[in-house]
Amino acid sequence: MQPTNTFRLKRLRELQFLTQLCLVVVFLHWTWIGEWFVTAYVPCVSVLLYISYRIASSGRMELGIALFLGIVNFSALLFMWVFYGLRDEVVMLLPAVMFFAAMLSGMRLMLWSFALNAINLLLLGSVGHFSQWHRVIPEQDLNSAFLMLLLLGMTAYGIWAVVSQLRTTLDELRLENARYRDSQVQVAQLIHHDPLTGLANRLKAREIFETSVHAAKANQTMVALTFLDLDNFKSINDSLGHRLGDIYLQQVASKFKSTLRESDHLCRFGGDEFVIISTNLTHSKQIDALAMRILQCSAMPLEIDGHELTLTCSMGISMVPQDGNDFDNICQQADLAMYAAKESGRNQYRYFQANMSEQLSEQLGLERGLRNAIELKQLSIHYQPKVCLRSGKIESVEALLRWDHPQIGRISPDVFIPLAERCGQIGVLGEWVLENAISQCVEWHKAGLPELSVAVNVSPMQLLSGRFARTLASLLEKYGLEGRFLLLELTESVFIEAKQELQQCLSTVQGLGVNLAIDDFGTGYSNLAYLKKFRVAQLKIDRSFVTNLLDSAENQAIVTAIVNMSHSLGLTTIAEGIEDKPTADFLTSLGCDKGQGFHWSAPLDAAQMPRLLQLLRPAC
């Protein structure tokens, strides 16, 4: 039932009770004084009123109300004709009926009641005017006062009901207004503030910035916008989970806030990215001091659920008016400066410089070019042989991706691979290389080189995509290549930082018969634990230890240790970056199994490989 109908039914029920009570009193009163017409009429009216109420409560509200008030109105008019006409006490009931009609039903029923009563009053007046009324009007007595008191009580009830409802409605409106104001405050809080830390978000930061810039112009002061990004925050989420990561962000936000001046504003744009808007600056040394305080603050460890966590941060700073006064441009400039700080080694700050925009433009151009490189056939795969040092025979090749840009020329993988990882293209590139390397290996098998295997470098981000193992299995099945002819070269960080999902992915890959190799071994946190855990097949000694190997006793000691450790674990070793025969001979004398480098061949495209591959012999 709708709220309006509930209210009307409640009032009708109260009016029903009050009317029935009045009828009982009238019945007893008139029976006592011997007025048998009223005594006989009242029970009939009582029954009819109850029936009309039941009709209303059954859902036919308008009909029930109309019948109820119509019966009351008719009874009043009947008593006026039967007894004393315009002088009868029941005339006081007519305004009450119209009042209840307006309260319970509306204007239409009230007007009908008014019209009926007006006609009746005019008729009674006409009868009296033309001396057709022969009843004697009794003198006022207690009976008359008693009846008028009953009628006055009914009218008073109607007034009380309306006033009470008005007060209730006003109270509800006040409460609703208070709730609305509270909701507006909450909405404003949600719109302008970060829900995790309670700090101002990007929208609020824009307002703060624009207000600060306006004030700075008037006061001839400066405004600084500092982009702050936590270094390696992803490692916390990956190792401890997002819940502890969120707690860390809340605590580190509180730490940063405690280092700021009253005129500084700390904001959060999302993730681990914070922004500081500093106002009332008269010299850049004030920002230098703030940046140093933040660097010192971030270096202080935080204790969270028994874990002691410490992360450094990198900051980029853009100044107003020196670098402009547009919020979006200033943010972009500070962001560029922050990335420059990261590329310079992290845990430091950098001011925006004009050449950073040029670097950004170049980077965006490379990103756009990289997205279209496969479709425009600018990418190719070259293959460099891996040679058995004891026999000098080629037994495998490594697939190396090359990008020949039509304007820039050949772009180094050291440039475009990190770029592909940053802009989300590494998955597409990785799958393209993997598919082409597998299909080419199958072609070589068909051409009479049945034991040749191919090695492919895999980015950690490919493995973390969640679909790498399924894609690899699909490609091996599509081209009919056995997994043992494929070697995946991974960096040490993949194994050291491997979590459950990554471990499962690597386990699935090895279940396909595919072997794993550690690329650039010796440059990271080398240890024996993960070598055993992940059943690595091959260690690839980084070229930094191989270059000038004969002239460096330190490098010789490192390479010797790696080879001995590998042999004790039953692993194969391969040295990359071999440029000459003396280096190859020395590695052979150390017991290194394989070599790779320009001493044998530069990377060649697939069309140039057949002649070189004719040197293939059974694997050593």
Side-chain angles (χ1 to χ4, degrees):
M1 185 178 292
Q2 297 180 353
T4 303
N5 286 345
T6 302
F7 163 74
R8 292 197 297 168
L9 186 60
K10 178 182 177 182
R11 295 305 177 208
L12 184 61
R13 182 168 59 250
E14 293 171 352
L15 183 59
Q16 155 82 2
F17 174 77
L18 184 61
T19 304
Q20 295 288 7
L21 182 61
C22 290
L23 289 176
V24 170
V25 175
V26 169
F27 176 82
L28 295 175
H29 173 74
W30 286 102
T31 301
W32 181 62
I33 64 176
E35 183 57 64
W36 306 114
F37 171 76
V38 176
T39 301
Y41 182 76
V42 165
C44 298
V45 172
S46 178
V47 172
L48 292 174
L49 290 177
Y50 179 76
I51 293 173
S52 63
Y53 168 74
R54 295 304 300 174
I55 292 174
S57 62
S58 67
R60 292 175 290 179
M61 185 69 66
E62 295 297 335
L63 177 60
I65 291 173
L67 288 175
F68 188 95
L69 295 178
I71 293 168
V72 174
N73 207 113
F74 174 79
S75 299
L77 299 182
L78 178 63
F79 286 166
M80 291 173 68
W81 282 98
V82 170
F83 294 102
Y84 310 118
L86 297 178
R87 303 297 183 183
D88 197 278
E89 298 87 347
V90 81
V91 74
M92 290 184 61
L93 188 59
L94 301 183
V97 172
M98 290 188 290
F99 185 87
F100 288 127
M103 180 179 69
L104 297 175
S105 182
M107 185 63 70
R108 174 182 291 184
L109 187 58
M110 189 199 75
L111 290 177
W112 275 106
S113 179
F114 174 80
L116 180 62
N117 292 332
I119 293 172
N120 181 66
L121 293 175
L122 289 175
L123 289 175
L124 286 171
S126 299
V127 170
H129 181 75
F130 294 107
S131 302
Q132 300 297 316
W133 190 265
H134 302 294
R135 292 179 180 81
V136 177
I137 306 300
E139 295 181 0
Q140 296 180 354
D141 55 11
L142 289 176
N143 290 330
S144 178
F146 179 73
L147 291 175
M148 293 181 71
L149 183 60
L150 285 177
L151 298 175
L152 183 64
M154 292 187 66
T155 305
Y157 161 75
I159 296 172
W160 169 82
V162 171
V163 171
S164 175
Q165 183 62 30
L166 285 175
R167 287 178 177 173
T168 301
T169 303
L170 288 175
D171 290 341
E172 290 176 351
L173 285 174
R174 291 191 191 99
L175 182 60
E176 192 63 31
N177 284 336
R179 289 173 179 168
Y180 176 76
R181 287 192 296 269
D182 291 342
S183 66
Q184 288 294 96
V185 172
Q186 293 174 359
V187 169
Q189 177 73 15
L190 291 173
I191 291 176
H192 294 96
H193 293 82
D194 168 53
L196 179 64
T197 62
L199 299 175
N201 60 11
R202 189 181 188 95
L203 184 61
K204 184 64 176 179
R206 181 186 293 273
E207 293 181 10
I208 296 172
F209 177 83
E210 292 174 350
T211 302
S212 300
V213 169
H214 182 75
K217 289 181 180 178
N219 300 330
Q220 294 185 340
T221 56
M222 296 183 296
V223 176
L225 190 145
T226 303
F227 253 58
L228 187 157
D229 189 85
L230 300 177
D231 298 327
N232 301 315
F233 173 72
K234 185 177 180 294
S235 62
I236 291 182
N237 277 339
D238 290 344
S239 59
L240 302 179
H242 289 276
R243 184 185 68 85
L244 290 186
D246 288 345
I247 295 174
Y248 183 85
L249 288 174
Q250 291 171 336
Q251 293 193 14
V252 81
S254 179
K255 282 175 53 178
F256 289 152
K257 201 169 184 179
S258 66
T259 66
L260 304 182
R261 306 170 306 156
E262 291 185 3
S263 56
D264 297 329
H265 304 272
L266 180 63
C267 313
R268 180 176 178 241
F269 281 12
D272 59 333
E273 191 174 77
F274 296 87
V275 170
I276 302 170
I277 300 174
S278 303
T279 62
N280 296 328
L281 299 173
T282 57
H283 199 279
S284 61
K285 290 183 178 179
Q286 294 171 285
I287 288 296
D288 291 332
L290 173 64
M292 291 305 299
R293 289 200 305 273
I294 292 175
L295 290 176
Q296 294 172 0
C297 176
S298 67
M300 297 172 59
L302 288 174
E303 182 79 20
I304 302 176
D305 281 6
H307 301 279
E308 188 176 276
L309 305 176
T310 303
L311 289 182
T312 60
C313 65
S314 301
M315 292 179 285
I317 304 167
S318 185
M319 303 291 294
V320 177
Q322 293 92 322
D323 300 322
N325 57 19
D326 179 75
F327 177 74
D328 293 324
N329 288 338
I330 291 293
C331 284
Q332 185 182 51
Q333 292 167 359
D335 196 22
L336 285 173
M338 183 266 292
Y339 275 107
K342 282 187 176 292
E343 292 175 359
S344 299
R346 306 176 188 269
N347 194 29
Q348 54 188 296
Y349 66 95
R350 289 286 184 272
Y351 284 92
F352 171 75
Q353 297 178 359
N355 62 350
M356 292 179 181
S357 294
E358 297 176 3
Q359 295 172 3
L360 176 64
S361 178
E362 292 177 3
Q363 179 176 323
L364 292 176
L366 285 177
E367 284 186 13
R368 287 192 295 268
L370 187 59
R371 294 179 190 278
N372 299 322
I374 295 178
E375 183 179 347
L376 297 177
K377 298 182 179 180
Q378 297 173 4
L379 296 179
S380 61
I381 299 178
H382 286 204
Y383 299 89
Q384 188 173 36
K386 295 181 178 182
V387 178
C388 176
L389 292 178
R390 287 200 298 270
S391 67
K393 304 303 179 181
I394 301 172
E395 61 176 23
S396 62
V397 296
E398 180 181 1
L400 300 170
L401 182 61
R402 297 290 182 260
W403 181 15
D404 293 305
H405 195 281
Q407 284 80 39
I408 301 175
R410 176 159 292 182
I411 300 174
S412 170
D414 294 336
V415 173
F416 71 80
I417 294 299
L419 178 64
E421 292 178 335
R422 288 198 298 270
C423 69
Q425 291 295 301
I426 191 64
V428 176
L429 290 182
E431 289 182 15
W432 184 82
V433 172
L434 196 60
E435 180 169 9
N436 279 271
I438 289 174
S439 65
Q440 183 60 61
C441 187
V442 172
E443 291 297 320
W444 284 327
H445 287 183
K446 293 178 180 178
L449 302 170
E451 295 300 318
L452 183 66
S453 62
V454 62
V456 177
N457 290 279
V458 177
S459 165
M461 296 186 67
Q462 287 179 259
L463 298 174
L464 293 172
S465 67
R467 63 174 188 174
F468 178 81
R470 294 194 303 272
T471 301
L472 177 59
S474 176
L475 291 174
L476 291 174
E477 182 180 2
K478 176 181 178 181
Y479 292 98
L481 182 68
E482 294 181 33
R484 64 189 180 93
F485 294 111
L486 180 64
L487 178 74
L488 300 183
E489 296 189 1
L490 311 170
T491 60
E492 282 185 273
S493 61
V494 172
F495 299 95
I496 296 171
E497 300 175 2
K499 301 303 178 293
Q500 183 175 359
E501 296 81 2
L502 194 54
Q503 292 178 20
Q504 185 176 358
C505 174
L506 294 176
S507 177
T508 304
V509 167
Q510 290 180 310
L512 298 171
V514 176
N515 291 316
L516 302 180
I518 298 178
D519 197 10
D520 303 331
F521 186 79
T523 59
Y525 303 96
S526 307
N527 61 66
L528 303 179
Y530 70 86
L531 297 178
K532 181 178 180 182
K533 180 178 180 180
F534 291 100
R535 296 181 286 114
V536 175
Q538 186 179 104
L539 299 184
K540 195 170 188 181
I541 304 171
D542 187 70
R543 68 176 60 247
S544 64
F545 302 120
V546 178
T547 303
N548 300 320
L549 176 63
L550 300 181
D551 299 324
S552 172
E554 182 180 356
N555 284 354
Q556 291 177 19
I558 293 174
V559 171
T560 301
I562 293 175
V563 171
N564 291 336
M565 181 191 69
S566 299
H567 287 171
S568 66
L569 294 174
L571 306 180
T572 301
T573 53
I574 177 171
E576 62 178 337
I578 300 175
E579 306 292 335
D580 52 57
K581 188 176 186 301
T583 301
D585 291 340
F586 183 77
L587 287 166
T588 303
S589 68
L590 292 179
C592 184
D593 298 298
K594 302 177 184 179
Q596 178 181 349
F598 279 78
H599 170 56
W600 293 281
S601 173
L604 304 173
D605 61 33
Q608 296 174 301
M609 288 298 295
R611 181 174 176 277
L612 189 63
L613 291 173
Q614 293 302 319
L615 300 175
L616 181 68
R617 292 290 184 274
C620 59

